[in-house]
Amino acid sequence: MPKKIIVIGANHAGTAALNTILDNYKDVDVTAFDANSNISFLGCGMALWIGGQISGPDGLFYSSKEILEGKGAKIYMETSVNSVDFDNKVVYTKDAAGKDCEYPYDKLILATGSTPVGPQLPGMSLDNVQFVKLYQNAAEVIEKLGDTSIKKVAVVGAGYIGVELAEAFQRNGREVTLIDCADTCLSAYYDDIFCKRMEKQLSDHGIRLAFGEKVKQLEGNGKVDKVVTDQNTYDADMVIFCVGFRPNTKLGNGQLKQFHNNGAYLTDLMQQTSRPDVYAVGDCATVYNNAIEDTDYIALATNAVRSGIIAAHNACGTELKSPGVQGSNGISIWGLNMVSTGLSLERTKKLGFDAAATDYEDWQKAGFMEKDNYKVVIRIVYDKKTRRILGAQLCSDYDISMAIHLFSMAIQEKVTIDKLKLFDLFFLPHFNQPYNYITMAALNAE
Ligand SMILES: Cc1cc2nc3c(=O)[nH]c(=O)nc-3n(C[C@H](O)[C@H](O)[C@H](O)COP(=O)(O)OP(=O)(O)OC[C@H]3O[C@@H](n4cnc5c(N)ncnc54)[C@H](O)[C@@H]3O)c2cc1C
Ligand SMILES: NC(=O)C1=CN([C@@H]2O[C@H](COP(=O)(O)OP(=O)(O)OC[C@H]3O[C@@H](n4cnc5c(N)ncnc54)[C@H](O)[C@@H]3O)[C@@H](O)[C@H]2O)C=CC1
């Protein structure tokens, strides 16, 4: 059992590691440092808070320095780790008062997360150009929205954060333009038939869509007032950038092996980095993606929590391997629910798979169920040769979210599309149909 474990970063991944150590192992001296002043802010609540769907941010935290210290950890907030001596196993910190300290460790867990990507464009330093990641970012945006002269908001990036925020700002009474260089929204997660449904949902609710346009510069006099793209100019009193995350790897650059795509720390199934006593978890680390059967980078709170648990057990001497991930995800915009896992057909093409998709559309419940019955669209993506299921997408006004877990497990366990054809799915008219759309999509696969 290691004597001293240090965790750098105490948000979702770090907190999961800390809780796992504190709940399962006694006599471990565990210390964490975080540069921020709060722990465990659920960014997913930001859009709900801006859009007034929840009354405030209080419920968006599930841990704190006090809770973790109550369980026996030493937590240093507003304390940055500036460097790590990996050979001599020492971390060097600076606290809010500017005091430098050093701490030795036996095992180190890097949970330094990610930072929003900030394109280098003219006008980025104008007032009301915002990034959204931390609680403080959300609080600042909400405070600024108190200024009623902010009427028009441009959201750049129509991925998960951008689409959720477009809804939120519109609910907040603002005119919203949603800009993306891709030809549609959510294109990293869904195929076009699904993206088009989300596009319609957004434009039906008054969002102006500017897809296939590259932002060239921001204009304004002190404050931003225009977004200029390669095709148009949009008035905007506030501009939000949400064009993806970049892993925070300053501490290990050049010291630990890194992913060729974006520099995330390369980890094995035990979350161990290229150094034996150093683990990396959450948004700063790679995952093993079962759909592509290879290393990947997928920034999600769910991956952060699972990888934190895995690293903590391994650091404490209990071998635990990750089963890999599928990147399962979901979104709900004005009641349009979409979930996906694994690969879209479009992504299989880019990756060189010889894949096909089987689609089906039907009512959720038996036809005689006259109330609360909704159409569902499903697509299952599979490899034509091996028949292995590679991905799935579902879309409905009904809450179909639980169905995606079946496909996540199927990808993890390398289930073929043929195995799904006669898979036992129950029927009750309150819930579904005897000819279930999952069965029907599988049966229709070529
Ligand atoms: C608006 C928004 C909505 C989201 N919605 C969802 C969702 O619905 N579902 C989902 O699965 N994911 C969602 N995510 C993604 C999710 O929030 C991230 O994947 C998650 O935060 C990753 O957790 P982490 O602990 O690895 O990293 P981070 O949250 O980035 O935390 C890293 C921590 O490390 C600290 N740190 C960094 N460097 C140092 C240092 N040198 N010294 C000390 N401390 C340091 C930072 O202060 C920070 O507290 C959302 C993200 C955003 C921004
Ligand atoms: N419901 C969920 O599971 C949620 C998950 N998250 C996760 O948080 C992470 C970050 O989210 P996002 O920032 O939304 O990233 P994202 O990867 O989901 O979307 C980024 C979008 O920005 C676009 N883009 C990239 N560069 C651009 C540029 N220069 N100009 C215009 N558009 C550009 C891309 O085409 C893409 O549509 C992701 O990993 C996401 O999965 C975030 C919110 C909700």
Side-chain angles (χ1 to χ4, degrees), residues 7-16 32-47 62 76-83 92-93 110-116 132-134 137 160-162 164-165 242 245-246 248-251 281-285 297-305 307 328-330:
V7 180
I8 308 178
N11 208 27
H12 302 302
T15 298
F33 303 97
D34 199 294
N36 203 350
S37 53
N38 59 69
I39 284 178
S40 77
F41 174 61
L42 287 163
C44 56
M46 194 177 292
Y62 58 85
Y76 296 91
M77 298 304 298
E78 296 182 80
T79 302
S80 289
V81 175
N82 287 338
S83 63
Y92 294 89
T93 66
L110 297 166
T112 49
S114 60
T115 309
V132 283
K133 174 84 204 256
L134 307 177
N137 303 145
Y160 260 140
I161 296 180
E164 288 179 353
L165 286 180
C242 33
F245 288 170
R246 176 185 306 116
N248 292 327
T249 54
K250 194 188 97 187
L251 297 175
V281 296
D283 281 9
C284 67
Y297 181 76
I298 306 178
L300 286 172
T302 47
N303 291 345
V305 169
S307 59
S328 300
N329 59 81

